[in-house]
Amino acid sequence: MPAIDVSIVIPAYNAAGLVDHAVRSALDQAGDGPALEVLVVDDASTDETAAVVERLAAADPRVRLLR
């Protein structure tokens, strides 16, 4: 992965229904522009937020889950 130019941080708590859209929207902002990473900070969610982000991270190395 190239050097990161931009880091997008998405705080999340029980956001399983929204986090997929938020992450994909952030990734779509890059286009052919700066190299970016999306950091999702899960604040001890009790729903499937972490599992959703883990699936996204498995498919795209620009996505990282921090718990």
Side-chain angles (χ1 to χ4, degrees):
M1 187 156 86
I4 302 299
D5 296 319
V6 176
S7 295
I8 299 171
V9 180
I10 300 174
Y13 176 74
N14 289 344
L18 302 171
V19 73
D20 181 86
H21 179 73
V23 169
R24 291 180 191 279
S25 178
L27 292 172
D28 287 346
Q29 299 304 309
D32 292 332
L36 63 80
E37 66 180 348
V38 177
L39 307 172
V40 179
V41 181
D42 179 27
D43 190 15
S45 295
T46 57
D47 66 358
E48 296 297 313
T49 299
V52 171
V53 177
E54 286 170 347
R55 284 193 293 274
L56 292 167
D60 192 324
R62 299 175 295 171
V63 179
R64 291 182 39 209
L65 173 65
L66 303 172
R67 298 175 95 183

